[in-house]
Amino acid sequence: MRRMKTKVSVIGSGNVGATAAQLIYQSGIADVVLFDIVEGVPQGKALDLAEAGPLWNISSSIRGTNDLADTAGSDIIVVTAGLPRKPGMSRDDLLYANANVMRSVVSGTAPLSPDGIYIVVTNPMDVMTQISWKISGFRPQRVIGMGGVLDASRFRTFIAFELGVAPADVETLVLGGHGDLMVPLPQYTTVKGIPLPELLSAQRIAELIDRTKNGGAEIVSLLKTGSAYYAPAASVFQMVKSVLSDERRILPCAAYLDGEYGVHDLFVGVPVVLGRNGVEKIIELALTDEDKRLFSKSAVAVKGLVETALAPRK
Ligand code: APR
């Protein structure tokens, strides 16, 4: 029997969604459906990308839509839909607004793609991942948040800048929520196998960690009217590829913890093996007491936001 084509739906055709759709389509790894609530935008961006297809030698397809029914039978659903923070809007306002977007997107897509895997990008990402899992009713291994791959890529970039080496030769892991309280791990950072602490002073490493923690804000302060999307989209693509090609890459992602790292019933960033079934394995690292404390602080902050988002609004 002819195998059906692999399908990835990208929900939200803004900067991150459209760029992720481009990377997926350009790689030829899957047919792509690009969805948005705004009429015309997903259709226009998808048509523009389709018209690049012949130049990229592509044999897969891409289409834009305002109808969630077109996402049926997806292998992966990437959720980038959300509202940006507007002036006068508190973080909590944004939390509630995006939680509502998740509710509508996930309740509308999960029944149509019962064997799908969610990759959640919308911020606050760890919280939105937990909500997506609750609404979908999927096994937690099939709901994954994108944050750590991006944070790790930023840290790798700054180390490569500092040492004047190829970014690809820098490897690292980052733990915790995708926010100010993330926990980059210098002792699990190597440059072609050489431990980072042998190459840079503790003070310089601390400065690069600080820059990593503020990596998103640094881009916002430069762009002024938007936030990062090339590196977030590339992070999504690496996760999509690891799942669809069953690469089993070890990537830091928001995954459901049920006792691992002493955390229960919470999605937060940890290293996982990412394969065709989603999270194939959670890797538990030996941590210093200080990193355990920082990770726990980050997890507590995420849990607080989850509770706020799920509580009825007064
Ligand atoms: N269903 C589908 N799409 C929606 C919905 C909805 N209910 N609500 C909003 N959208 C769409 C918007 O119309 C917009 O096209 O989501 C898109 C978001 O795109 P951008 O505003 O360009 O945001 P982007 O930079 O792509 O970031 C998306 O990822 O990194 C995170 O913090 C970022 O939460 C944000 C998300």
Side-chain angles (χ1 to χ4, degrees):
M1 198 173 76
R2 191 171 165 269
R3 210 179 153 270
M4 270 174 64
K5 268 198 154 177
T6 305
K7 176 170 175 178
V8 177
S9 292
V10 180
I11 311 299
S13 51
N15 281 337
V16 177
T19 311
Q22 175 186 342
L23 292 173
I24 298 162
Y25 175 61
Q26 199 167 5
S27 76
I29 200 171
D31 288 334
V32 180
V33 170
L34 187 57
F35 173 90
D36 205 283
I37 41 167
V38 179
E39 279 175 31
V41 170
Q43 291 87 346
K45 291 190 179 181
L47 181 59
D48 193 5
L49 282 166
E51 289 165 358
L55 307 170
W56 290 333
N57 237 342
I58 300 298
S59 50
S60 52
S61 71
I62 183 162
R63 59 179 293 211
T65 182
N66 303 119
D67 185 355
L68 282 179
D70 292 326
T71 67
S74 294
D75 295 273
I76 296 185
I77 301 159
V78 178
V79 186
T80 73
L83 308 174
R85 191 162 159 197
K86 301 198 186 84
M89 207 178 185
S90 72
R91 272 181 196 271
D92 277 2
D93 291 338
L94 182 69
L95 185 67
Y96 288 114
N98 281 349
N100 283 335
V101 170
M102 285 306 113
R103 285 189 185 97
S104 82
V105 162
V106 176
S107 61
T109 50
L112 300 171
S113 298
D115 300 320
I117 289 175
Y118 281 97
I119 295 179
V120 179
V121 182
T122 306
N123 274 316
M125 179 280 295
D126 305 87
V127 185
M128 296 304 137
T129 308
Q130 184 109 14
I131 291 174
S132 301
W133 167 64
K134 279 206 182 313
I135 305 282
S136 67
F138 282 11
R139 284 192 304 115
Q141 292 77 10
R142 292 203 283 119
V143 183
I144 314 157
M146 189 295 287
V149 175
L150 172 61
D151 298 330
S153 189
R154 285 183 171 143
F155 192 33
R156 294 169 69 187
T157 305
F158 303 145
I159 293 165
F161 285 169
E162 179 76 13
L163 295 173
V165 300
D169 281 342
V170 183
E171 276 297 352
T172 192
L173 287 171
V174 178
L175 287 181
H178 179 52
D180 309 352
L181 296 177
M182 73 177 80
V183 190
L185 297 171
Q187 73 276 31
Y188 287 110
T189 305
T190 55
V191 181
K192 206 69 193 175
I194 308 163
L196 186 65
E198 289 181 21
L199 297 169
L200 288 176
S201 69
Q203 148 115 36
R204 195 64 194 126
I205 292 173
E207 286 162 6
L208 299 185
I209 286 179
D210 214 47
R211 188 172 179 195
T212 303
K213 288 183 177 175
N214 295 302
E218 185 177 0
I219 302 282
V220 171
S221 74
L222 290 165
L223 296 180
K224 298 192 178 64
T225 55
S227 49
Y229 54 100
Y230 290 116
S235 305
V236 167
F237 178 62
Q238 187 174 59
M239 292 169 69
V240 165
K241 193 158 152 291
S242 192
V243 169
L244 291 183
S245 306
D246 198 27
E247 290 182 322
R248 303 181 71 93
R249 297 292 305 266
I250 297 175
L251 301 171
C253 300
Y256 184 77
L257 300 187
D258 191 17
E260 297 89 349
Y261 290 92
V263 174
H264 293 270
D265 191 32
L266 190 73
F267 281 82
V268 69
V270 290
V272 305
V273 175
L274 215 55
R276 196 60 190 85
N277 302 304
V279 173
E280 305 280 355
K281 185 178 166 29
I282 288 172
I283 297 178
E284 283 200 75
L285 303 169
L287 297 179
T288 62
D289 286 346
E290 176 63 0
D291 284 338
K292 276 186 200 155
R293 191 184 66 77
L294 293 173
F295 179 70
S296 160
K297 191 173 164 195
S298 181
V300 165
V302 172
K303 193 149 213 159
L305 286 179
V306 167
E307 279 159 13
T308 308
L310 294 179
R313 196 153 200 202
K314 291 182 204 91

